[in-house]
Amino acid sequence: MLKGKTAVVTGSTSGIGLAIARAYAQQGANVVINGFGDASAIERERSAIESEFGVTAHYSGADMSKGAEIATMIADAENTFGSVDLLVNNAGIQFVAPIEDFPVDKWDQIIAINLTAAFHAIRAALPGMKARKWGRIINTASAHALVASPYKSAYVAAKHGIAGLTKTVALEAATFGITANAICPGYVWTPLVEKQIPDTMQARNMTKEQVINDVLLHAQPTKQFVTVDEVAALAVFLASDAAKSITGTILPIDGGWTAE
Ligand code: NAD
């Protein structure tokens, strides 16, 4: 379905981003993976994508908190592959603390990586998409783009911001064969969720089991974590021709969380 197309997926050395990059490669797209982590583990993931799916996979170490590095990542992808057709703004971090104790540098970092990075990447990729009259922009938002939780001020602000950015881009790009949508997962078991458990234990004075059952899964009527493969399948559908009229949406995939 995506043969001859190129996908840039930010924050794809792990979790949801890696699942989306692999799913697009499975559909035939060349991919640029991005993110931090152990160099040999990243190289293993990159070469596995090439050997399993017969596509070309490149790695960009661009830091999503730095606008110039993001612009270079998109330009390099266009120069190497000839186009960036699918852009998934997925890199994200979390920090959990009451607002009066929330470290200012953490606020700045979360807004930069979870929100401003998407602006920089879209700004760089959109002219090429418009010229070719085809594009798919998918922003990994969160149920926290629709509802709030205590102690996550920066994350909730960034995710609500990405919802607004998604809608604006959808309107600006609508007549160019380009769609822009935000996927809003509930809790997905990835390193991002695992890492916030200790801070949540502290902020709420709870055990690990209480955090998992009474905070995380409490939010989800299904009482199950969403899987990375389910999120990737939605990203594949949004890339398809059947989804060409779906644009500007803020799409929950959250086990019913935001229905409450
Ligand atoms: P993860 O920690 O597994 O992956 C995050 C990725 O972002 C990693 O590849 C990491 O290296 C990369 N990253 C972090 N900072 C970066 C930076 N400065 N520059 C480049 N890359 C950077 O987390 P995940 O759960 O897969 O999260 C992916 C996205 O999904 C995030 O935007 C997150 O907010 C969102 N999300 C996650 C959940 C969940 O429950 N896991 C729910 C809703 C939304």
Side-chain angles (χ1 to χ4, degrees), residues 59 70 87 93 131 144 168:
Y59 167 67
I70 298 168
L87 170 64
I93 58 166
H144 284 118
T168 308

Side-chain angles (χ1 to χ4, degrees), residues 10-18 34-37 42 60-66 89-94 109 113-114 139-144 155 159 183-196 220 225-226 228 231 257:
T10 73
S12 49
T13 53
S14 166
I16 294 169
L18 179 58
N34 157 261
F36 298 151
I42 294 172
S60 161
D63 182 341
M64 292 301 111
S65 67
K66 301 201 164 76
N89 293 299
N90 171 82
I93 58 166
Q94 174 63 286
Q109 217 186 351
I113 296 167
N114 294 19
N139 298 319
T140 309
S142 164
H144 284 118
Y155 188 87
K159 296 299 187 182
I183 292 179
C184 299
Y187 284 108
V188 188
W189 190 258
T190 67
L192 181 138
V193 164
E194 238 178 313
K195 275 187 245 158
Q196 67 187 274
Q220 277 175 204
F225 285 99
V226 178
V228 294
V231 179
W257 174 353

